[in-house]
């Protein structure tokens, strides 16, 4: 198994035009767990994200025209429009995965417009504004935004057909959900198939429509292609946990994932969540199986470049001393180079100070840990115990091979081995690998549980934030001197 086995399929593959579900016996070798690329075809119609921001910008312009002298400060009105649009985006009011009701979002929109005008009244050159002028501008702005959004949502509702959807979950729970959705065509989705485990087909007895039951990834892939499926409905939290790998593949393929609580109503005890609402009476929330991958961008890379570059300059004397001592004590070959697997399964060469000389290249690639080898010199044991042997990896961070914070990169042999043993191990490669991470600050270094590492690493990715990276770096600095190496 090579490093390529951990690479996810390309995102945004086109899908064919909508047709009936066809579940045929495969004509070749069974597909792997990952969904293969599909044939070329017409994509299902998507909602354009452009009209609503234009409406909000135009409404801000109309509101600004009410203020005397506003034409002399066009930058103020432009900043007001951009501020309101930015606040609305943070509130997911530009979500294109469904048609919203204008009344549902009106309180949030008006609240953000009020924040914008409060900032104008307090900070802009237009102050002091009379209260009547400020209220009038706010009223015009809200009215224009309400009218524009109502027109956009109305046009979308008239043009949009029910979206073909797959329902994922046990047959006993998925069939009643599919039946309820088919009884409510106005909900915007139309189930075309049920995705479940093969064993569940034998035991499931749910009441509902006789939709095709898809039990393999290949059948699911074919249904997505032939029906232009754009929506996947996951019934229950247990299903989300058990089918994480398949759901991530479907999300990579371009499907929008919703979790439905079919049998566990909140009875007023649940808090508000992003994308929360209901679908045909079932509580729903938007899932993001790609976790932090969508949010990781320039900020993480800038943090890596600034900190790794600064640290390299600061530790240059330490690097020089370690290199000289290793050269004198153990001879040439101070830096140890080893192939590791990084983001999306791409291999790279990891740098470390050489603290142990493997007997052969095969041993270097397949032996798990040499942290307690007795033949290591005391200085090498000191380097591993204090993690100073990891300092050359700062150069890997500067080059972009890895990050300061992320799942630890592993050798191809162990990536293949662990991927077969632990189903969620390949998901660690959704983000850049790192020198330290959530696993390491919880003591999972060296000869520790791979299952626990996998759980911590995926939790880090699913809940990624720049602040979390900073916290992990601070805790790593506090725990820098340790009794064992990685």
């Amino acid at each position: 198994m090579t490093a390529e086995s951990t690479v996810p399929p390309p995102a945004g593959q086109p899908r064919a035009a909508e047709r009936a579900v066809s579940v045929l016996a495969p004509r070749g070798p069974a597909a792997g767990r990952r969904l293969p690329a599909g044939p070329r075809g017409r994509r299902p119609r998507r909602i354009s994200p452009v009209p609503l921001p234009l409406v909000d910008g135009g409404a801000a312009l109309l509101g600004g025209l009410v203020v005397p002298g506003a034409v002399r400060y066009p930058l103020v009105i432009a900043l007001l429009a951009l501020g309101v649009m930015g606040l609305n985006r943070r509130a997911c009011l530009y979500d294109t995965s469904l048609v919203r009701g204008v009344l549902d979002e009106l309180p949030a929109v008006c609240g953000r417009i009020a924040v914008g005008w409060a900032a104008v009244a307090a900070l802009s050159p237009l102050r002091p504004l009379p209260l009547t002028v400020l209220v009038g501008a706010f009223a015009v702005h809200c009215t224009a935004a309400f009218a524009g959004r109502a027109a956009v949502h109305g046009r979308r509702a008239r043009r949009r057909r029910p979206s073909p959807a797959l329902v994922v979950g046990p047959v006993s729970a998925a069939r009643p959900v599919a039946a309820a959705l088919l009884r409510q065509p106005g909900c915007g989705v139309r189930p075309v198939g049920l995705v479940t485990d093969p064993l569940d087909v034998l035991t499931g007895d749910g009441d509902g429509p006789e939709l095709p039951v898809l039990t393999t990834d290949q059948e699911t892939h074919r249904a997505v292609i032939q029906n232009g499926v754009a929506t996947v409905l996951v019934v229950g939290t247990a299903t989300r946990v058990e089918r994480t790998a398949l759901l991530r593949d479907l999300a990579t393929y371009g499907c929008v994932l919703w979790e439905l609580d079919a049998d566990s109503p909140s009875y007023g005890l649940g808090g508000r969540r992003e994308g929360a609402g209901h679908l045909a009476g079932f509580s729903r929330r938007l899932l993001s199986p790609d976790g932090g991958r969508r949010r990781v961008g320039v900020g993480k890379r800038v943090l890596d470049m600034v900190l790794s570059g600064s640290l390299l300059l600061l530790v240059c004397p330490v690097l020089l001393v370690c290199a000289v001592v290793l050269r004198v004590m153990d001879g040439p070959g101070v830096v140890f180079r080893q192939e590791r697997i990084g983001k999306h399964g791409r291999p790279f060469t990891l740098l470390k100070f050489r603290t142990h000389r493997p007997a052969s290249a095969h041993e270097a690639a397949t032996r798990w840990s040499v942290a307690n080898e007795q033949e290591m010199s005391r200085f090498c044991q000191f380097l591993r115990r204090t993690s100073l042997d990891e300092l050359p990896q700062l150069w890997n961070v500067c080059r972009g091979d890895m990050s300061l914070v992320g799942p630890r990169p592993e050798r191809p042999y162990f990536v293949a081995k662990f991927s077969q043993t632990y189903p969620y191990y390949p998901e660690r490669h959704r983000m850049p690998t790192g020198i330290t991470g959530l696993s390491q600050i919880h003591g999972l270094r060296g000869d520790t549980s791979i299952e626990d590492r996998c759980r911590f690493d995926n939790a880090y990715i699913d809940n990624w934030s720049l602040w979390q990276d900073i916290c992990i770096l601070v805790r790593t600095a506090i725990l820098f001197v340790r009794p064992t190496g990685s």
Side-chain angles (χ1 to χ4, degrees):
M1 182 175 181
T2 66
E4 295 178 355
S5 61
T6 63
V7 180
Q13 296 290 343
R15 295 188 285 271
E18 180 177 327
R19 290 177 290 181
V21 177
S22 173
V23 183
L24 305 176
R27 295 186 178 182
R33 186 181 63 80
R34 295 288 184 183
L35 296 181
R40 293 184 178 273
R42 178 175 60 84
R43 289 178 180 271
R45 175 175 293 177
R46 296 285 187 178
I47 299 176
S48 172
V50 175
L52 287 179
L54 289 179
V55 165
D56 288 342
L61 177 61
L62 290 176
L65 294 178
V66 176
V67 179
V71 293
R72 296 197 303 269
Y73 301 98
L75 183 59
V76 173
I77 304 304
L79 291 177
L80 170 65
L82 292 175
V84 172
M85 291 162 61
L87 289 172
N88 286 343
R89 182 169 295 279
R90 289 181 63 85
C92 299
L93 297 178
Y94 296 143
D95 181 19
T96 60
S97 61
L98 74 162
V99 176
R100 292 179 177 270
V102 67
L103 292 178
D104 295 334
E105 65 188 17
L106 183 61
V109 173
C110 291
R112 284 155 181 80
I113 292 175
V115 171
W117 278 106
V120 168
L123 305 175
S124 80
L126 296 174
R127 67 181 190 277
L129 287 176
L131 182 59
T132 55
V133 173
L134 190 60
V135 171
F138 171 76
V140 171
H141 192 162
C142 288
T143 302
F146 177 81
R149 284 176 165 265
V152 171
H153 289 316
R155 184 172 181 271
R156 286 177 174 177
R158 289 192 299 270
R159 296 185 59 185
R160 187 171 185 180
R161 299 177 180 177
S163 173
L166 293 178
V167 183
V168 183
V171 172
S172 58
R175 276 212 173 103
V177 169
L181 294 174
L182 290 174
R183 291 194 299 267
Q184 298 289 332
C187 66
V189 297
R190 175 174 55 86
V192 295
L194 309 178
V195 181
T196 189
D197 290 323
L199 294 178
D200 188 58
V201 176
L202 302 177
T203 58
D205 57 353
D207 297 328
E210 292 298 326
L211 294 173
V213 178
L214 315 172
T215 58
T216 67
D217 288 356
Q218 191 174 28
E219 291 176 346
T220 304
H221 165 252
R222 187 178 295 112
V224 170
I225 291 292
Q226 295 182 344
N227 291 271
V229 172
T231 304
V232 175
L233 306 175
V234 184
V235 182
T237 302
T239 301
R240 168 169 55 86
V241 175
E242 295 169 358
R243 306 303 297 269
T244 299
L246 174 62
L247 296 179
R248 285 201 175 108
D249 291 337
L250 292 171
T252 302
Y253 207 75
C255 298
V256 177
L257 274 60
W258 295 92
E259 180 182 325
L260 301 184
D261 295 327
D263 300 316
S264 55
S266 61
Y267 296 106
L269 300 178
R272 291 185 60 83
R273 299 168 293 183
E274 180 180 355
H278 73 90
L279 186 67
F282 297 108
S283 298
R284 67 142 196 256
R285 71 182 184 98
L286 187 64
L287 296 180
S288 299
D290 55 348
R293 179 175 57 190
R294 296 181 305 170
R295 300 169 288 168
V296 178
V298 178
K300 186 175 178 67
R301 183 59 186 150
V302 169
L303 180 67
D304 287 341
M305 290 292 292
V306 171
L307 289 184
S308 63
S310 302
L311 288 173
L312 273 176
L313 292 177
L314 291 174
V315 302
C316 270
V318 178
L319 290 171
L320 182 60
V321 169
C322 292
V324 170
V325 173
L326 281 175
R327 179 65 174 82
V328 172
M329 296 182 61
D330 290 346
V334 170
V335 177
F336 178 64
R337 295 172 174 83
Q338 190 175 62
E339 184 182 31
R340 297 290 179 101
I341 300 300
K343 183 180 180 182
H344 296 336
R346 289 191 294 265
F348 70 95
T349 301
L350 180 134
L351 305 177
K352 296 179 66 173
F353 280 129
R354 185 184 296 276
T355 56
H356 175 75
R357 294 183 182 273
S360 64
H362 181 264
E363 178 185 322
T366 61
R367 189 167 184 175
W368 175 239
S369 178
V370 294
N372 297 318
E373 288 289 324
Q374 297 300 320
E375 60 266 24
M376 283 195 301
S377 66
R378 290 186 177 180
F379 182 71
C380 291
Q381 293 177 8
F382 167 76
L383 290 180
R384 294 185 67 87
R385 186 170 60 251
T386 59
S387 297
L388 290 175
D389 63 324
E390 310 281 354
L391 288 181
Q393 293 171 37
L394 292 172
W395 179 245
N396 286 116
V397 176
C398 285
R399 292 180 53 185
D401 296 331
M402 55 192 295
S403 175
L404 287 172
V405 181
R408 282 295 293 167
E410 196 45 74
R411 287 161 282 179
Y413 171 83
F414 290 105
V415 169
K417 180 179 179 180
F418 296 150
S419 296
Q420 294 175 354
T421 307
Y422 306 101
Y424 304 137
Y425 189 86
E427 310 303 334
R428 299 169 68 253
H429 299 97
R430 292 174 285 157
M431 282 182 64
T433 53
I435 296 179
T436 185
L438 193 64
S439 298
Q440 284 67 44
I441 64 174
H442 283 87
L444 296 173
R445 307 173 75 243
D447 192 11
T448 53
S449 169
I450 301 301
E451 182 179 5
D452 289 345
R453 289 194 196 190
C454 182
R455 185 174 64 255
F456 274 99
D457 289 339
N458 283 308
Y460 161 77
I461 297 174
D462 290 337
N463 300 280
W464 180 86
S465 69
L466 201 59
W467 178 246
Q468 182 183 206
D469 277 8
I470 295 173
C471 293
I472 291 174
L473 289 172
V474 171
R475 293 181 63 178
T476 300
I478 296 173
L479 301 174
F480 187 73
V481 179
R482 307 176 184 183
T484 59
S486 60

